Amino acid sequence: MSLLSTKHLLGINHITREDIELIFKTADNFKQVINRPIKKVPSLRDVTIANVFFENSTRTKISFELAEKRLSADLVNFSSSSSSVKKGETLIDTVNNILAMKVDMVVMRHPAPGAHQFLARHIDANIINAGDGTHEHPTQSLLDAFSLREKMGDLSNKKIVIVGDILHSRVALSNIYCLLKLGAKVRVCGPPTLLPKHVGSLGVEVSHNLAESLEWCDAANMLRIQLERQEDKYFPSLREYSQQYGVTIPILKSLSKEIVLMHPGPINRGVEITSEVADSEQSIILNQVENGVAIRMAVLYLLAGTSK
Ligand code: CP
């Protein structure tokens, strides 16, 4: 069995192109498995996984749980809102208590950037980052790139624009690292207030012009406006934002070619994209969600292999 170069999945910045290709190859196999009448394999029997979520989630949490069940792992779910974290228990104490119950892998979402790196220095289990604040969301970018590859083939020299709230987005940073490692050309587009000052130094193009960026790209990843992370006002109103940076059917029809539309979810319908765009033939949003299970099965399976 081929192995990943790392024991943990802390971020895409920490893994190689070969790791990404191996995850995709493994996910191709698992995608076949989950489309069979019997969707379960015994690969992670006797492996126990804790899903530890200090922030809300729909897609990522359900998708990890399903991936674990399809691999026959034992799983426990922890949500900070109904735990002793509310009584002041620290992250390290919380996780050590879970590990004392003989847990092998920890899937964690945490609001603090770098929380997973901190944990990896203190515990022995495999750690998978399911989102750390505004930093990285590695499995989201893997399923995004996997879905794009499925739709458009090899991503070398394909042009991908990431639109919107780049400043607060862990999806944006992981997508930038992942797509560049796969040889794609990447552009970020949004109002100046929502683009980090030095984002160009990551190797991406920077634009404030949506129409020109959509004409340039093969695929557009429309990010959610993260109002919950915005303490200041970054644009006058949602209405004005959607007029400048929202994608509508007339805008798509005005382009010289058909582009692919993505969104990591949850969608603010009518803000980043209209309902008609979200539900159109050009949208691969539900393919992204479907592929999330196969990608997470691949990550769990391959990381479990690094501990044997
Ligand atoms: N894309 C994503 O991370 O969605 P959730 O917050 O619902 O997990």
Side-chain angles (χ1 to χ4, degrees):
M1 172 184 165
S2 303
L3 290 182
L4 294 176
S5 66
T6 172
K7 178 183 169 182
H8 309 292
L9 182 61
L10 303 178
I12 300 295
N13 199 21
H14 301 273
I15 64 173
T16 63
R17 179 178 181 146
E18 290 68 37
D19 288 328
I20 297 172
E21 299 285 1
L22 177 59
I23 292 168
F24 286 179
K25 199 169 138 216
T26 312
D28 281 331
N29 291 333
F30 282 133
K31 191 162 176 183
Q32 287 178 24
V33 169
I34 57 182
N35 281 296
R36 292 199 304 235
I38 296 170
K39 299 174 172 55
K40 232 171 154 159
V41 285
S43 314
L44 293 194
R45 202 160 49 203
D46 297 329
V47 173
T48 305
I49 304 174
N51 300 313
V52 181
F53 278 69
F54 291 87
E55 266 189 4
N56 294 339
S57 169
T58 299
R59 278 146 291 268
T60 312
K61 192 159 180 288
I62 291 177
S63 175
F64 267 113
E65 276 185 49
L66 264 180
E68 291 152 6
K69 285 178 177 163
R70 302 282 189 244
L71 291 166
S72 306
D74 294 319
L75 61 108
V76 284
N77 288 315
F78 167 92
S79 161
S80 62
S81 58
S82 56
S83 74
S84 292
V85 169
K86 290 276 169 219
K87 300 178 206 160
E89 192 164 40
T90 63
L91 170 62
I92 199 85
D93 281 340
T94 301
V95 174
N96 269 330
N97 274 278
I98 295 169
L99 292 179
M101 299 177 221
K102 308 291 175 225
V103 165
D104 304 296
M105 306 178 93
V106 177
V107 175
M108 184 170 85
R109 172 169 287 190
H110 197 281
H116 301 75
Q117 272 97 333
F118 170 76
L119 210 57
R121 287 199 294 274
H122 290 89
I123 67 171
D124 214 28
N126 304 96
I127 297 166
I128 299 164
N129 182 355
D132 60 332
T134 55
H135 181 223
E136 280 224 44
H137 191 350
T139 55
Q140 178 69 46
S141 68
L142 289 166
L143 71 90
D144 290 342
F146 182 83
S147 305
L148 277 174
R149 190 193 70 146
E150 206 171 56
K151 183 81 181 171
M152 311 196 303
D154 182 9
L155 295 185
S156 294
N157 293 318
K158 293 287 187 324
K159 294 176 181 164
I160 319 297
V161 64
I162 305 171
V163 179
D165 188 357
I166 313 295
L167 188 64
H168 300 98
S169 175
R170 54 193 173 213
V171 175
L173 190 58
S174 287
N175 260 271
I176 290 169
Y177 289 140
C178 190
L179 292 167
L180 290 177
K181 283 184 191 210
L182 293 171
K185 293 188 186 347
V186 183
R187 177 186 286 209
V188 292
C189 175
T193 49
L194 288 178
L195 301 185
K197 216 181 252 172
H198 303 293
V199 68
S201 66
L202 294 173
V204 299
E205 294 185 21
V206 180
S207 169
H208 308 303
N209 186 330
L210 179 69
E212 194 271 325
S213 294
L214 293 177
E215 194 56 59
W216 170 85
C217 75
D218 300 301
N221 195 350
M222 307 299 299
L223 299 183
R224 182 173 69 87
I225 289 293
Q226 303 200 29
L227 292 172
E228 76 278 16
R229 293 193 204 277
Q230 297 183 9
E231 280 162 21
D232 299 316
K233 254 184 140 11
Y234 290 85
F235 45 82
S237 67
L238 278 178
R239 190 163 166 269
E240 188 155 322
Y241 176 83
S242 70
Q243 279 171 352
Q244 294 283 321
Y245 290 101
V247 173
T248 62
I249 293 288
I251 291 175
L252 289 182
K253 287 203 168 131
S254 73
L255 302 175
S256 61
K257 64 177 186 305
E258 202 167 274
I259 63 167
V260 174
L261 262 293
M262 314 170 72
H263 195 301
I267 307 171
N268 296 309
R269 283 179 182 252
V271 178
E272 302 99 26
I273 50 177
T274 60
S275 279
E276 293 76 21
V277 170
D279 303 331
S280 72
E281 290 287 310
Q282 285 170 252
S283 158
I284 59 165
I285 294 170
L286 290 180
N287 305 61
Q288 292 172 260
V289 177
E290 181 188 346
N291 287 331
V293 178
I295 282 288
R296 287 169 177 129
M297 285 173 82
V299 167
L300 293 164
Y301 172 75
L302 291 166
L303 286 180
T306 64
S307 301
K308 290 205 173 109

